[in-house]
Amino acid sequence: PVSAAAMLPSSAPLHEALGLGGFNFDNTRRNQVLGAQGVAAPRVKKTGTTIVGVVYKDGVVLGADTRATEGETVCDKNCEKIHYIADNIWCCGAGTSADTEATTQLVSSQIELHRLATGKAPRTITALTMLKRKLFQYQGNISAALVLGGFDCNGPSLYTVYPHGSTDSLPYVTMGSGSLAAMAVFEAEYKDAMSVEEAKALVQAAIMSGINNDLGSGGSVDMLVINKDGNTVLRNVVRPNERKFRKAGGYSFPKGTAKVLTQTFTPLSSLPIDVTTTRSPAAMEVG
């Protein structure tokens, strides 16, 4: 018998000719040459967030911190990281805030259209499928790491969605830069069939662990409870790092503190205007 390798052209790599896939190292030398020329490879971006979720006896509790960062700068101390998908489905987002907002809003719109088309309450697995298809389509270039929780005809469910589109389904999950600190609390304290109060206390402790041990997480603790009766939003449940000192009378900056380096003004009347008129065809006209 003739082997498959003997039947292939010698110039064709075996794994490509057989369509087996596998690892590809074609760009290794290119990357070395670019590195020698001073071109830096892109670095992994830190998410700067702690988001968690846990399944309890009658539903799901989601939690998130409220700090938004840009590098080492705290841009927002009280942002919202728990996003609406449907009345019975909500999603925590870590990563680039614009990506998490846009992705969850898009899927929320699609879920509403799906609900109107079917006349039935949306299922959590439907939202999960839409999210992971969208993220996989962009191959990780959408920086959105998500914790999806909901309650539907199958009961409570909880998922994680990674930026490349891979997913997990677990009774307790964490994502973001503070995820390891939060997971340590979950692994030590989680138990089956918790009451809602036990689940809320556990989520609060997990988010606080992320806030206290991760510089990218901070602000306060947000939580959301989802069960058969609907959802309950709990904003700023704990605010551990309130500012203790504020200057009496606040701060005032005189005009001219921030200098204007250059200033230009172009009147609208000086801009060229190109007006093109097209005639609309009559109702019975063809062409």
Side-chain angles (χ1 to χ4, degrees):
V2 181
S3 65
M7 299 173 61
L8 297 172
S10 58
S11 59
L14 181 61
H15 72 280
E16 290 184 4
L18 296 179
L20 297 179
F23 293 103
N24 188 323
F25 299 98
D26 292 347
N27 290 329
T28 302
R29 178 165 174 75
R30 182 208 66 175
N31 295 341
Q32 291 175 344
V33 172
L34 291 175
Q37 295 175 354
V39 179
R43 300 177 61 184
V44 176
K45 294 181 179 179
K46 189 175 181 182
T47 57
T49 289
T50 302
I51 53 175
V52 307
V54 64
V55 176
Y56 71 97
K57 180 175 59 176
D58 299 316
V60 176
V61 179
L62 303 177
D65 72 303
T66 62
R67 172 176 290 181
T69 58
E70 183 180 356
E72 297 177 353
T73 304
V74 178
C75 302
D76 190 347
K77 298 179 182 179
N78 197 28
C79 68
E80 296 184 35
K81 300 183 182 181
I82 305 179
H83 307 285
Y84 175 87
I85 301 292
D87 290 340
N88 62 321
I89 305 170
W90 291 70
C91 182
C92 302
T96 302
S97 58
D99 288 348
T100 58
E101 286 276 358
T103 303
T104 52
Q105 287 177 2
L106 175 64
V107 171
S108 177
S109 174
Q110 294 173 342
I111 282 289
E112 177 63 11
L113 292 174
H114 180 74
R115 184 189 68 82
L116 294 171
T118 60
K120 298 180 180 178
R123 297 170 58 185
T124 312
I125 192 68
T126 306
L128 175 73
T129 302
M130 291 180 179
L131 285 169
K132 69 181 182 180
R133 282 179 176 175
K134 175 58 65 175
L135 294 177
F136 180 78
Q137 177 184 357
Y138 286 87
Q139 293 290 295
N141 290 301
I142 294 179
S143 178
L146 309 172
V147 170
L148 180 72
F151 190 98
D152 54 23
C153 57
N154 295 318
S157 52
L158 184 65
Y159 303 94
T160 56
V161 189
Y162 292 84
H164 289 84
S166 59
T167 62
D168 288 327
S169 176
L170 296 165
Y172 56 92
V173 298
T174 66
M175 294 284 275
S177 56
S179 60
L180 295 181
M183 182 56 75
V185 173
F186 276 166
E187 290 185 341
E189 303 294 338
Y190 175 81
K191 61 182 180 181
D192 287 333
M194 289 186 294
S195 67
V196 63
E197 294 302 325
E198 289 175 325
K200 286 161 61 176
L202 182 58
V203 167
Q204 178 179 319
I207 296 298
M208 285 300 301
S209 180
I211 289 174
N212 293 328
N213 294 281
D214 173 47
L215 291 178
S217 304
S220 56
V221 178
D222 283 354
M223 290 193 292
L224 186 133
V225 181
I226 311 172
N227 52 36
K228 60 182 176 59
D229 299 321
N231 63 76
T232 305
V233 178
L234 304 170
R235 268 290 267 168
N236 302 142
V237 177
V238 182
R239 306 192 72 170
N241 300 312
E242 287 280 8
R243 186 172 178 177
K244 296 181 180 179
F245 172 77
R246 293 184 181 274
K247 182 180 177 181
Y251 294 90
S252 61
F253 301 96
K255 186 176 181 180
T257 299
K259 295 182 179 179
V260 178
L261 301 180
T262 60
Q263 183 174 352
T264 59
F265 173 74
T266 304
L268 187 61
S269 58
S270 66
L271 297 176
I273 301 176
D274 183 14
V275 179
T276 303
T277 304
T278 57
R279 185 178 66 88
S280 301
M284 297 300 294
E285 225 175 297
V286 179

